[in-house]
Amino acid sequence: MAEQKINTSYDDNSIQTLEWYEHIRRRSGMYIGGLGNGDDSSDGIYVLLKEVIDNSIDEFSMGYGKRIDITVEDRTVTVRDFGRGIPLTRVVDATSKLNTGGKFDDTNFKKSVGMNGVGTKAVNAMSVDFLVESYRDGQRSFGLFTRGHLIDSGIEPSDQKNGTFVRFTPDKELFGEFTYHLDIVEQMIKNYSYLKRGLTLVLNGVPYKSENGLLDLVSEGMRETPLYPLIHLEGEDIEIVITHSDNYGENIASFVNGQNTRDGGTHLAAFREAVAKTLKDYFKKDYQPADIRQGIVGAIAVQIQEPIFESQAKIKLNSTYMWEKQVKNADGTVQRTEDGTAVVDRGPTIRTFINDFVAKNLDNYLRIHTDIVPALEAKIKASKAEREEIAGVQKKTRERNKKANVFNRKLRDCRYHLSDKLSKDKEEFRELTSIFITEGDSASGTITKVRNANTQAVFSLRGKPINCYKESRRAVAENEELNLLISALGVEEDIDDLRYNNIIVATDADDDGMHIRMLVLTFFMKYYPDLIRRGHVYILQTPLFRVRNKKETHYCYSIEEKESAIKKLKAGAEITRFKGLGEISSEEFVDFIGENMRLDPVKLAEEESIGEIMEFYMGVNTSERQKFVQVNLRSEKELEDINI
């Protein structure tokens, strides 16, 4: 089919030059990721706070200032450090000119988090009020901005100690009605203290300081009982902590230059590989990496020069080397080869550095602390025995399902996996792939009909799956529904083989739907918690009501949205309550799983106990749980009792 031309003018007036702050405000995702309202730790308001604190952390890392004061009052934040202070004549430039900063020259900030001169400018551009003050050698230099516009600036005498002060209030025009949740901010501050021993961070008057670094982070955050005392190893530019619990999956926090890289990256991959290889060599047995890492709990922090992150959010490390720098001549110019390529001096690869450190120090630790070795190997052997048993059971179950041709009835796969043409371009489509887990022919049929068949797959459950919290691993492996789901996801051997980037639980908004949702989430929490921790699992929000008249239609996801729509349409509004996904027509449903799809990410904080969560939701039915469900889960009966 020939491409149709879009009839629009394209002339001199079509070319625009945006001011620096306009570009940041229009393309906020490039700079801080999502916006959000403050309910999630990844929301943009916390990224703004982190960008400011990171600058103060970098000062401490270079040996200047041992205290950072932070206040969060309503929507306004202040950060005061006692470092060197920004050079007085460059305060305005450093906070309002892109690609301007003091971190491009590694002599001033050797192991900084922010290296591209963007972070504080994004805070400035996205704040309705932004004040920066630098105190240096008895003088104060300041710049006052609103939404990136300079309002006032100057230099004057001061009796303040050297350092930098920043005050900002995120702009409601961008973030809407938002709230800083102090528990999220507190966890951020605690992480900084664990990673920067000797630094005191004071949040709203409460000091946070760690004496034992990552050891404090893991021991204070661990809710399950460790199978042996935590192993704590430190070296130049690296610190690690590991132990094991009886849980499934892996729970390893990772950091680079004080930055929490919750999506991991090259350093976490190297660490996982190094631990598996070192323990395999130590025991001189051919243990599988999956058996060694099953139930592992720990953390790794590395310091590298000029880190490269996947995005401005800095949650995944892409760097290959510990450091890379251009070789310079005596006159300061860059040395170049005959073809003009800059000569680069590289340090060791991150993989080699971490492998060498772990191989030497973990091996030495185990040879000295021989008392923990039996418990460690017992855990590995138990994981190995269970894996081998379950593998045999799953194989028989899959063969039985294959003979009955069940798999093809359960999974409607996407063309990404079915078509050679799409599957060849992995990078373009991989992040877009999703699988909807739904229940019943009606709901799965509706989603299958309107989905994007290129990237969206549908898996249909038959009724309620078993309660994994109460069942053995063998019973789960023998269960047809869950066994087929594991195969569809591709995680039989390693979750790194996950076939879809997004796992979306799509159930009806009634009591049965809520129960099915909890059963599916229990399955993931118990056996594949890393899928949740890595941000792959979501809950699909579908509208509860349709409010319309002859001119307008509003789809409402809550009672509050429904009431607002009724007021807007006034008299004559027709109100429909959707009790199940199958009741929504295909023509309507296409929007709910397309660009306007609402997804709630399923979260597991590092300090949360999976066992306690599952016991609360799926264990013995207690009065406390009943009260919680009544308050927090809007059931079908509750909605029907409301006069609509």
Side-chain angles (χ1 to χ4, degrees), residues 17-69:
T17 300
L18 298 178
E19 293 288 347
W20 67 273
Y21 50 82
E22 292 178 306
H23 189 273
I24 291 175
R25 291 174 66 85
R26 289 194 190 186
R27 300 289 184 266
S28 58
M30 292 176 55
Y31 298 92
I32 65 167
L35 293 173
N37 63 1
D39 288 346
D40 190 89
S41 60
S42 63
D43 286 348
I45 60 171
Y46 301 111
V47 178
L48 299 186
L49 172 57
K50 181 183 71 64
E51 291 288 356
V52 177
I53 296 178
D54 281 347
N55 289 333
S56 299
I57 294 292
D58 289 339
E59 279 292 305
F60 170 78
S61 297
M62 292 301 295
Y64 301 93
K66 295 183 178 180
R67 175 186 171 115
I68 301 173
D69 293 331

Side-chain angles (χ1 to χ4, degrees), residues 64-345:
Y64 301 93
K66 295 183 178 180
R67 175 186 171 115
I68 301 173
D69 293 331
I70 303 117
T71 67
V72 180
E73 297 180 0
D74 194 17
R75 293 186 171 99
T76 298
V77 176
T78 68
V79 179
R80 169 70 156 105
D81 69 42
F82 298 88
R84 291 166 290 184
I86 304 169
L88 298 176
T89 61
R90 303 305 302 276
V91 168
V92 170
D93 288 349
T95 53
S96 64
K97 288 186 178 181
L98 291 179
N99 304 315
T100 301
K103 302 176 185 178
F104 301 107
D105 181 355
D106 59 24
T107 59
N108 286 317
F109 293 90
K110 292 182 179 179
K111 291 165 185 174
S112 165
V113 172
M115 300 298 295
N116 55 14
V118 171
T120 310
K121 287 80 164 177
V123 182
N124 186 349
M126 303 182 76
S127 296
V128 68
D129 169 73
F130 179 86
L131 171 66
V132 56
E133 298 179 337
S134 175
Y135 310 108
R136 193 162 174 157
D137 303 327
Q139 290 186 294
R140 166 184 177 262
S141 177
F142 73 95
L144 177 63
F145 300 81
T146 181
R147 300 185 175 99
H149 294 270
L150 180 63
I151 303 300
D152 194 12
S153 65
I155 300 177
E156 59 190 23
S158 171
D159 60 359
Q160 293 281 331
K161 292 182 179 179
N162 284 6
T164 303
F165 172 86
V166 173
R167 183 192 72 212
F168 69 93
T169 306
D171 190 356
K172 288 172 63 175
E173 283 187 6
L174 296 174
F175 295 94
E177 293 295 330
F178 68 88
T179 302
Y180 275 104
H181 294 288
L182 285 179
D183 57 333
I184 294 177
V185 178
E186 181 185 24
Q187 188 58 52
M188 180 192 302
I189 300 306
K190 282 183 176 180
N191 283 347
Y192 279 122
S193 70
Y194 296 137
L195 294 159
K196 298 294 178 180
R197 274 180 284 180
L199 173 65
T200 299
L201 298 105
V202 182
L203 173 61
N204 288 356
V206 179
Y208 295 87
K209 186 177 181 180
S210 172
E211 299 295 338
N212 303 299
L214 287 190
L215 186 63
D216 287 341
L217 183 149
V218 177
S219 60
E220 291 177 16
M222 193 170 179
R223 293 296 177 264
E224 283 72 23
T225 302
L227 299 180
Y228 54 87
L230 278 64
I231 299 172
H232 186 203
L233 305 174
E234 295 181 89
E236 184 176 357
D237 296 332
I238 186 170
E239 180 181 3
I240 67 172
V241 174
I242 60 170
T243 187
H244 280 81
S245 75
D246 275 329
N247 280 345
Y248 289 89
E250 304 171 29
N251 186 7
I252 305 173
S254 64
F255 303 87
V256 174
N257 295 7
Q259 168 66 30
N260 185 355
T261 47
R262 65 174 182 270
D263 283 357
T266 50
H267 59 316
L268 180 57
F271 179 54
R272 296 174 69 238
E273 174 190 319
V275 170
K277 184 178 185 303
T278 301
L279 292 180
K280 179 180 175 180
D281 291 344
Y282 176 85
F283 290 115
K284 294 181 173 59
K285 295 178 182 176
D286 193 23
Y287 289 132
Q288 297 265 343
D291 298 331
I292 293 174
R293 296 195 297 256
Q294 185 72 274
I296 195 170
V297 181
I300 176 172
V302 294
Q303 300 283 328
I304 69 176
Q305 198 162 303
E306 299 195 21
I308 301 171
F309 296 99
E310 188 174 85
S311 66
Q312 177 63 19
K314 302 169 187 170
I315 57 176
K316 185 174 183 179
L317 181 70
N318 278 356
S319 296
T320 303
Y321 296 91
M322 291 296 291
W323 51 265
E324 296 180 76
K325 60 183 179 181
Q326 294 178 334
V327 179
K328 296 183 179 179
N329 299 307
D331 61 359
T333 59
V334 177
Q335 288 187 20
R336 298 187 180 276
T337 61
E338 292 183 359
D339 63 359
T341 304
V343 178
V344 177
D345 183 17

